[in-house]
Amino acid sequence: MGFVSRDRIRSALVVIAVTGLLGGLVLHFSDWPAPAGMVWTAGVLPILAALVAEIIRDLRRGEVGLDIVAALSMSAAVAVGEGLAAAVVAVMYAGGTFLESFAEGRARREMHDLLSRVPRTATRNRGGRLEDVPLDVIAPGDKLLVRQGDVLPVDGTVASSFAFLDTSALTGESLPVRVAMGSEAMSGSTNAGDAFALIATRLAKESTYAGIVRLVEEAQQSKAPMSRLADRWSLGFLAVTIALALTAWWFTQDPIRAVAVLVIATPCPLILAVPVALVAGLSRAAHYGVLIKGAEPLEAMARIRTLILDKTGTLTDGRPQIVAIDSHIGMPDDEILRLAAALDQASKHPVAQAIVTAAKARGLALSVPSEAVEIPGEGVRGSVDGHKVIVGGDDFVVGHVRRKSGDHPALASGSVLVALAVDGRLAAHLVMADPLREGAGSMIGELRHLGISRILLATGDRVEVAERVTEGLGLDGLRAGLSPDQKVLLVLTERKNGPVMMVGDGVNDAPALAAADVGVAMGARGAAASAEAADVVLLVDSIDRLGAGIDIAHRARRIALESVVAGIALSILGMLVAALGYLTPVQGAVLQEAIDVAVILNALRALNIRPGATKTPEKQITGASCDGTIREMPPD
C-alpha cells in the first residue's frame, strides 16, 4: 500500500470515528438511546476492522504492539453494550495513528523527485546528424555529443582532444579534472567545459551511475529496522492491562469492570504523546532547516553513537576558493585579483568563475576585457585597462613569459595553482583549494557533547587531500579513496559500535546514506539521489545544522518519554480504581481523555525547543594511513 493511499485511509477512519461519536451523542441527548448505540457501534466497527488487519500484519512479521490493547478495549466495550466508551476509544486511536503518519507522509511527498539527476535522453551523432534518443537505445560504440552542463549519460571514452569534467558527485574530488582524448569518462559526471564527443563503452544500465542507483536500492532493502518508541513499551503494558482486567473480572464476576479497566488502559499516552512530541520535533527541526522524513528517523537520531562524514560538500564547501595570493613583482593582492578576475569574466571555467566571485566579494570593480581569447582547458589572454594579461594554468602562462627563480610557490596537496602574467612578466600565483567549512571544528565538539563518541571521515578523494583538510579536527579515523560500495561496507562495519549516521551530498554517497541507521544529505546543493536515499536532508547549506537537528531529536524524544511515563502512571492508577468498581467504562474513557490532554500538552512543549550550541575541547588528529585504511587516533 502506498503512503498516499494509507494517509487517505487513515484520514477517512478519523472522519468515520468522529462522525460516529458526535452522531451518537446527538441521538443520545435526543432520548433515542437505541439508535445512538447503533451509530456508535457503526462508527467503531471500521476502526476496529482496520486495527485487527494491522495487528495481523504485525504478528506475521513477529511484532507485538500496543494496538492489541486498543482492539481489546473497543471490542469488549461493544460486546457489553458500552457503545459510547467504544466510540471514544475509536476516536482517540484513529486520531493518534493519523497524527503519527502525518509528518512522514508530508516529508515523502516533498521528496518524491527520485533520482531526478539521472539523464533521460542523450544526443547521438549518427551519420553526421544529431538526434536525441532514449538512454536504453544507446549501444557501445555510439558517438554522443555532451554539451556544457550536461550529465554524462553512459560510461565512455573522450573522443575530442580533451574534456573538463566535474566528478565531485561521484568521487568527492571538488575541482574539475581534465580528461584527455581516449581516457575513460564516468556516467554521472558533469561536463564543466566546452562540448565534447564521447564514445559509449557500456549500456546505460551497466554504467557507473546506474550501478550506484542499484546500490541505493540494495542498501535500502538491507537497512536495519527501527522499532517505534511506543512499541518498545508494549509487551509490559499489555501484560499489566490483561492481568488487571482478568483479576477484576475473576473476583467480581462483573465483565463491566474488566471493560472499564481495558478502556482506561487504552494506551493513548503512548499512541498520542509519542507522535505529538515527535511531530512537534519534526516541525522545530524544519524551522532550523533540517527536514526529517518521519518520526522513526527522529527517534534514531537521538540514539546515534557513530558519525561518518563525507568530505567534499560536507566538511568542505565543495567549491574552489582562493586560499593564498603570491605576488612576484610587488603588485598588491587586490590588483592581482582584479586583473585576473576581469579577464576571467570571458571564461566559463569553474576556476575562472571562482576567481570572479572572489573579486566581487571583495568589492573590486571589474573592467570589461578586450581581445580576450580562451584556449580551452589552458587559460585566457587579452587586454585589461591597457595591460596585456594572461591568466590560467602555470605551464600555459609560463610558456608565454620567462620564469625567475623563487617565483613558483610551494603547492599544498589538493590545491590548484593559477598563474597571472601582466605585460610579459609573471606577476603572481593564486593558490586555490576547497577549504574546510567555517565552524566545522566547533561542530565536531558539539556533536561529541550530544553523545556521538566516534566520528570518522569517508571520502572518495585522495588520501593526502583528506589528511590536509581534516588536520586538527579531532576525528577518530579517516578513510580515503573509497568507492560507493566501500562506503556501504564501512557503514555496516561500524554498526558494531552502535547506531550509525552517515552525512554526504554526492551521488556516490547515496548507497551509504541508505544503508546507515540515519542518512543525512546536504540538500541545498547536493545530488537528488543522496537527498532521496537519506532520512534527513539539511535544507540550508550549513553543516552546523546537523548539531541542531540532533539536539532537537534528543529533546523531543526526552519529552515524549516524560509524557509516556506520566501518562502510563496515571493510566495504571485509573485501572486500579476501575478494577475496584469506582469507574464505569464511560467514566474511564472520560478520565483517559483527561490524561490524554495532560500528556499532549506536555508533548507540545517540543514546539518550543531551541537547540543550543555547546562547545567542547577538541582532540587533535594525528593523521591517517596512506593506504586508505582507518587509522585510529589516540586519546588525549
Side-chain angles (χ1 to χ4, degrees):
M1 181 185 299
F3 288 99
V4 174
S5 59
R6 184 186 301 176
D7 285 347
R8 288 177 178 172
I9 291 174
R10 288 181 172 177
S11 300
L13 292 177
V14 171
V15 172
I16 292 171
V18 172
T19 301
L21 175 61
L22 296 179
L25 287 174
V26 170
L27 292 172
H28 177 76
F29 287 111
S30 300
D31 288 331
W32 288 346
M38 296 174 61
V39 171
W40 283 327
T41 301
V44 169
L45 291 180
I47 314 301
L48 186 58
L51 181 53
V52 170
E54 187 72 27
I55 291 172
I56 292 174
R57 282 194 294 268
D58 289 344
L59 291 176
R60 286 176 177 174
R61 295 194 298 262
E63 300 174 0
V64 179
L66 288 166
D67 298 339
I68 294 177
V69 180
L72 285 174
S73 63
M74 277 189 273
S75 56
V78 169
V80 299
E82 294 287 344
L84 176 56
V88 172
V89 173
V91 169
M92 290 188 294
Y93 177 80
T97 55
F98 173 78
L99 185 61
E100 185 177 25
S101 65
F102 173 74
E104 179 180 1
R106 182 179 62 183
R108 287 187 178 271
R109 285 193 297 271
E110 291 174 351
M111 299 301 298
H112 74 281
D113 191 15
L114 173 63
L115 301 179
S116 61
R117 190 174 182 271
V118 180
R120 306 299 179 191
T121 62
T123 302
R124 183 171 61 185
N125 185 336
R126 173 164 287 185
R129 299 182 61 183
L130 297 178
E131 56 181 0
D132 288 336
V133 296
L135 292 191
D136 55 7
V137 306
I138 297 175
D142 283 351
K143 188 174 184 179
L144 308 177
L145 175 66
V146 183
R147 300 181 178 90
Q148 186 177 60
D150 284 352
V151 175
L152 273 63
V154 296
D155 291 346
T157 57
V158 175
S160 299
S161 56
F162 64 87
F164 266 96
L165 298 181
D166 178 359
T167 63
S168 59
L170 296 174
T171 66
E173 173 62 57
S174 57
L175 298 173
V177 296
R178 190 178 190 272
V179 181
M181 177 184 290
S183 298
E184 185 176 0
M186 294 184 293
S187 61
S189 304
T190 301
N191 182 10
D194 295 331
F196 68 93
L198 180 76
I199 304 298
T201 56
R202 293 188 182 93
L203 298 173
K205 64 181 180 180
E206 298 173 353
S207 291
T208 302
Y209 195 88
I212 291 177
V213 172
R214 285 193 296 273
L215 278 173
V216 172
E217 295 170 348
E218 293 169 1
Q220 287 176 328
Q221 292 173 0
S222 65
K223 189 166 186 168
M226 295 181 291
S227 61
R228 293 184 305 168
L229 176 64
D231 288 342
R232 293 195 286 273
W233 294 69
S234 58
L235 286 177
F237 190 76
L238 178 61
V240 171
T241 298
I242 293 176
L244 279 175
L246 291 177
T247 301
W249 193 357
W250 177 268
F251 282 103
T252 65
Q253 298 299 307
D254 183 3
I256 300 297
R257 288 201 184 186
V259 172
V261 171
L262 289 174
V263 167
I264 201 169
T266 301
C268 290
L270 286 171
I271 293 174
L272 291 176
V274 171
V276 166
L278 297 183
V279 168
L282 295 178
S283 176
R284 288 304 289 167
H287 176 75
Y288 285 91
V290 183
L291 174 64
I292 304 175
K293 301 181 186 179
E296 285 187 353
L298 183 73
E299 284 188 48
M301 286 179 72
R303 298 184 282 114
I304 292 300
R305 293 296 175 266
T306 299
L307 174 66
I308 301 175
L309 293 166
D310 176 49
K311 181 185 73 69
T312 304
T314 302
L315 273 181
T316 65
D317 187 60
R319 292 171 289 195
Q321 297 179 23
I322 297 174
V323 295
I325 297 177
D326 191 353
S327 175
H328 305 312
I329 59 175
M331 184 180 292
D333 287 357
D334 280 359
E335 182 64 10
I336 291 171
L337 183 57
R338 187 187 73 83
L339 291 173
L343 184 57
D344 269 338
Q345 292 177 109
S347 173
K348 291 184 177 181
H349 193 281
V351 173
Q353 292 302 304
I355 292 174
V356 173
T357 299
K360 290 180 177 179
R362 293 196 186 188
L364 302 179
L366 302 183
S367 304
V368 177
S370 60
E371 303 174 359
V373 177
E374 180 174 10
I375 292 80
E378 301 289 348
V380 186
R381 62 174 182 262
S383 297
V384 177
D385 295 338
H387 296 284
K388 297 296 183 180
V389 179
I390 306 174
V391 61
D394 184 61
D395 291 340
F396 170 72
V397 175
V398 170
H400 292 77
V401 298
R402 297 178 60 184
R403 182 193 299 277
K404 297 178 181 179
S405 60
D407 63 4
H408 194 301
L411 185 62
S413 174
S415 300
V416 170
L417 203 61
V418 177
L420 172 71
V422 179
D423 296 329
R425 300 173 63 193
L426 185 61
H429 280 96
L430 291 80
V431 182
M432 306 192 70
D434 184 15
L436 200 66
R437 284 181 183 267
E438 185 177 354
S442 60
M443 180 206 66
I444 297 296
E446 180 186 353
L447 293 176
R448 293 197 186 279
H449 179 76
L450 292 171
I452 296 179
S453 56
R454 185 169 170 81
I455 302 177
L456 308 173
L457 180 80
T459 178
D461 210 343
R462 302 186 305 276
V463 63
E464 62 270 15
V465 176
E467 287 178 339
R468 180 183 60 81
V469 169
T470 58
E471 185 178 0
L473 274 185
L475 302 180
D476 297 295
L478 182 151
R479 187 113 182 242
L482 298 183
S483 62
D485 55 339
Q486 288 173 326
K487 287 188 177 183
V488 172
L489 180 61
L490 177 61
V491 168
L492 298 179
T493 302
E494 286 298 321
R495 279 224 181 105
K496 69 180 184 294
N497 298 312
V500 175
M501 173 184 284
M502 171 73 193
V503 185
D505 77 322
V507 175
N508 62 327
D509 300 317
L513 296 178
D517 295 280
V518 178
V520 181
M522 301 292 292
R525 291 189 293 114
S530 60
E532 177 61 33
D535 304 291
V536 181
V537 179
L538 302 185
L539 300 177
V540 183
D541 189 28
S542 178
I543 188 63
D544 62 0
R545 301 303 171 100
L546 180 62
I550 294 176
D551 194 8
I552 289 171
H554 276 284
R555 299 191 191 191
R557 187 172 184 270
R558 183 165 60 247
I559 290 172
L561 284 172
E562 291 171 355
S563 300
V564 165
V565 171
I568 286 182
L570 292 173
S571 294
I572 291 176
L573 180 61
M575 288 160 58
L576 293 172
V577 174
L580 295 173
Y582 293 108
L583 289 174
T584 65
V586 173
Q587 290 171 336
V590 173
L591 177 60
Q592 185 58 259
E593 285 283 15
I595 295 174
D596 293 342
V597 171
V599 298
I600 288 174
L601 289 176
N602 184 68
L604 286 174
R605 292 192 298 114
L607 287 172
N608 297 319
I609 293 175
R610 296 181 181 276
T614 304
K615 303 185 185 300
T616 56
E618 302 172 10
K619 293 191 295 182
Q620 198 74 11
I621 193 169
T622 61
S625 62
C626 292
D627 60 0
T629 57
I630 293 180
R631 178 175 175 182
E632 303 300 329
M633 307 304 169
D636 292 338

